[in-house]
């Protein structure tokens, strides 16, 4: 024993990967979640002489575009390169923010938000893939937690910074800051390790169409819940069916398309054909825990986002909690 040498096991610190990719990914998440619109509504309406509803339409356009194509964006990123998808998904929103900062009418807001939302559908899935490819084990779990926490962090930052800009130097500077963040993230993206593209990946375009249609219908249904009425149509409803609000129709139609998407997905998996979304991820306790964790962080962070230039008191309470 005295003449033998016992080698100590490698420590966890020695095998840890660099946190640089996580910092870049978190900075991107802050850019994508930076909500300057809500704080700037009053300034935009006064400066561009457009109603607040037009600003709201531009805002929801970007959200709908992102939500509708998020599954397709993940597949496109895998097929043509995750880092490339990441770069497109931070550069175009930066350009869109610059368009908004120099906008002279509501049409520019609408176009910029649509471009931004569609491109975020590329970068948002890439964030998780970059985390998964750069980290393993406990460090990966920590990285996913930090990534999810960047969403409410960005909303708190946007509440403070965009609110200060709106009341001092002007609302446009918030979008200039977003454009600078986009350029910074694009520059930093070259430090990320490239992930090999899956050139032979088959994309289920039919499933993508069903998923996008379902998300759009359900999103429009919930967005019109207050203004159009849940059952009886209000005067603001775009149409009515014998006095019934379009909300139930949109929600039911969205649910039908969602069910059609899942039926198609199960058939493709049974036939060993690549689906748009692999439903097997919901069978793993670890995968489900990750999904629930990120959903919780998103749902908790969303109420922190300001609804106007002067947020109600409960939102400041949220800031103190965070």
């Amino acid at each position: 024993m005295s003449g033998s040498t016992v080698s100590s096991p490698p420590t966890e610190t020695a095998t840890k990967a660099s946190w640089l990719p996580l910092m870049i990914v978190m900075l991107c998440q802050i850019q994508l979640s930076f909500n300057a619109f809500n704080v700037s509504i009053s300034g935009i309406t006064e400066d561009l002489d457009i109603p607040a509803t037009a600003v709201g339409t531009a805002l929801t356009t970007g959200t709908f575009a992102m939500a509708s194509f998020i599954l397709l964006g993940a597949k496109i990123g895998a097929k043509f390169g995750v880092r490339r998808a990441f770069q497109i998904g931070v550069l175009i929103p930066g350009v869109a923010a610059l368009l908004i900062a120099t906008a002279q009418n509501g049409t520019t807001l609408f176009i910029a938000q649509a471009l931004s939302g569609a491109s975020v559908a590329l970068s948002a899935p890439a964030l998780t893939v970059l985390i998964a490819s750069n980290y393993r084990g406990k460090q990966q779990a920590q990285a996913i937690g930090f990534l999810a926490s960047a969403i409410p962090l960005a909303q708190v930052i946007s509440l403070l910074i965009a609110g200060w800009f709106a009341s001092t130097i002007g609302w446009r500077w918030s979008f200039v800051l977003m454009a600078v963040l986009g350029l910074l993230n694009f520059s930093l993206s070259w430090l990320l390790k490239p992930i090999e593209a899956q050139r032979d990946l088959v994309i289920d375009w039919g499933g993508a169409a069903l998923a996008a249609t379902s998300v759009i219908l359900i999103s429009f249904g919930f967005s019109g819940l207050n203004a159009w009425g849940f059952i009886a149509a209000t005067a603001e409803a775009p149409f009515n069916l014998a006095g019934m609000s379009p909300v139930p129709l949109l929600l039911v139609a969205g649910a039908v398309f969602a069910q059609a998407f899942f039926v198609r997905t199960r058939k493709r998996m049974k036939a060993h054909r690549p689906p748009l979304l692999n439903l097997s991820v919901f069978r793993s306790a670890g995968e489900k825990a990750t999904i629930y964790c990120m959903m919780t962080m998103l749902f908790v962070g969303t109420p922190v986002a300001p609804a106007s230039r002067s947020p109600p008191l409960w939102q400041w309470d949220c800031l103190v909690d965070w």
Side-chain angles (χ1 to χ4, degrees):
M1 290 288 295
S2 59
S4 62
T5 303
V6 179
S7 58
S8 59
T11 62
E12 184 181 356
T13 305
T15 59
K16 275 188 176 181
S18 169
W19 289 113
L20 178 61
L22 174 63
M23 290 188 288
I24 296 174
V25 167
M26 284 189 66
L27 189 60
C28 173
Q29 185 71 281
I30 290 175
Q31 176 200 349
L32 302 181
S33 304
F34 194 96
N35 191 354
F37 252 104
N38 284 340
V39 189
S40 308
I41 287 179
S42 60
I44 295 174
T45 55
E46 292 173 6
D47 197 6
L48 302 185
D49 193 24
I50 58 176
T53 53
V55 181
T57 300
L59 177 60
T60 54
T61 296
T63 304
F64 289 176
M66 184 273 290
S68 301
F69 300 109
I70 191 77
L71 293 177
L72 179 61
K75 292 297 183 180
I76 291 177
K79 186 176 182 67
F80 297 103
V82 172
R83 191 176 72 172
R84 183 177 300 173
F86 177 91
Q87 291 172 329
I88 294 173
V90 297
L91 187 60
I92 293 182
V95 173
L98 191 59
L99 286 175
I100 295 174
T102 58
Q104 301 299 318
N105 52 62
T107 304
T108 304
L109 298 182
F110 182 88
I111 295 174
Q113 279 296 101
L115 288 174
S116 178
S119 59
V120 169
L122 285 174
S123 57
L127 302 183
T128 307
V129 176
L130 288 168
I131 292 296
S133 63
N134 282 277
Y135 303 103
R136 295 290 183 271
K138 182 180 178 181
Q139 196 177 12
Q140 185 182 93
Q142 292 174 331
I144 292 175
F146 283 125
L147 175 61
S149 68
I151 299 174
L153 175 63
Q155 293 172 344
V156 172
I157 292 174
S158 61
L159 171 64
L160 298 176
I161 296 179
W164 180 64
F165 281 173
S167 59
T168 54
I169 59 178
W171 64 270
R172 295 181 185 271
W173 288 99
S174 297
F175 294 94
V176 172
L177 175 60
M178 293 175 65
V180 171
L181 277 176
L183 182 60
L184 175 62
N185 285 327
F186 178 78
S187 301
L188 292 174
S189 68
W190 296 104
L191 300 176
L192 296 171
K193 179 178 63 176
I195 299 175
E196 186 177 355
Q198 304 175 32
R199 299 293 183 184
D200 57 345
L201 180 67
V202 177
I203 297 178
D204 178 17
W205 295 100
L210 289 174
T213 303
S214 172
V215 170
I216 290 173
L217 291 172
I218 293 175
S219 299
F220 268 110
F222 278 111
S223 66
L225 194 59
N226 291 329
W228 302 343
F230 181 60
I231 301 298
T234 65
E236 298 180 25
F239 65 91
N240 66 81
L241 299 173
M244 180 180 293
S245 169
V247 169
L249 177 63
L250 291 172
L251 295 179
V252 170
V256 170
F257 275 96
Q259 181 63 24
F261 167 75
F262 284 112
V263 170
R264 177 185 177 91
T265 300
R266 292 189 185 97
K267 286 183 177 179
R268 289 183 68 90
M269 292 180 65
K270 189 175 181 179
H272 302 288
R273 299 175 63 190
L276 188 68
L277 173 66
N278 193 331
L279 300 180
S280 62
V281 298
F282 297 105
R283 299 170 188 164
S284 167
E287 295 284 357
K288 286 193 289 188
T290 301
I291 294 171
Y292 293 151
C293 174
M294 299 195 73
M295 285 175 59
T296 302
M297 294 297 293
L298 177 61
F299 291 153
V300 170
T302 299
V304 181
S308 64
R309 190 170 174 175
S310 300
L313 182 60
W314 68 267
Q315 291 181 338
W316 291 107
D317 291 339
C318 288
L319 283 180
V320 174
D321 293 338
W322 281 107

